[in-house]
Amino acid sequence: MLPEGPTDRLLRSSAAPRTGSLGACHGLDVPLVFGNLDRGQPAALIGDGGTGEGTESEAETLSARMRSAWTSFAANGDPGRPAYDRQRRLVQLFDAAPSVTACPEEPSRLIWRDHTFPVLPLHASDGSEGQTPGR
């Protein structure tokens, strides 16, 4: 059991325009959190860096919200939403219409709640796979 302490949980719920079958995939938040919406490979996940017509795109709006939450959390420990707790299980959904709601992934959590994950062996290039470092 992990020690108790404040925890935050956020979810990016909608797919970006160019992600296709990837949907709201792992790593999609990185270009949003850093505001990198129009250049490089991370921006390719977003595909909606700007409309070019002087109006703010959905991705720019979402990025501004996420950067504000992360900056507030880094500066004063408050991301602007309630801390996650085991009774309410509230999460921040970052989407076109952001909200704080009960975790929509509850069925998945229940599937894994009693599973114990074993420690994975270390793999080293020197042939000492599975051994504890320094021994």
Side-chain angles (χ1 to χ4, degrees):
M1 186 70 140
L2 295 175
E4 296 292 323
T7 304
D8 285 285
R9 185 164 179 204
L10 62 91
L11 298 171
R12 165 74 168 113
S13 64
S14 67
R18 290 190 191 154
T19 59
S21 63
L22 294 177
C25 63
H26 178 76
L28 182 61
D29 58 326
V30 174
L32 292 165
V33 168
F34 290 99
N36 182 18
L37 306 178
D38 60 358
R39 60 198 170 281
Q41 290 179 336
L45 287 173
I46 302 301
D48 181 27
T51 62
E53 300 168 4
T55 60
E56 196 169 278
S57 72
E58 179 184 334
E60 290 169 323
T61 302
L62 183 59
S63 177
R65 285 186 191 123
M66 292 181 84
R67 286 182 285 122
S68 176
W70 279 70
T71 301
S72 177
F73 182 70
N76 59 35
D78 180 11
R81 61 184 176 271
Y84 183 83
D85 66 64
R86 292 181 181 173
Q87 286 73 40
R88 298 180 301 159
R89 300 191 190 281
L90 297 177
V91 297
Q92 171 73 56
L93 293 178
F94 283 99
D95 206 341
S99 62
V100 174
T101 186
C103 183
E105 299 295 330
E106 185 66 5
S108 179
R109 186 192 70 78
L110 292 173
I111 289 170
W112 295 103
R113 72 177 168 196
D114 296 323
H115 183 77
T116 302
F117 292 90
V119 175
L120 298 175
L122 297 176
H123 295 280
S125 59
D126 65 0
S128 60
E129 293 181 13
Q131 298 178 12
T132 303
R135 291 190 182 176

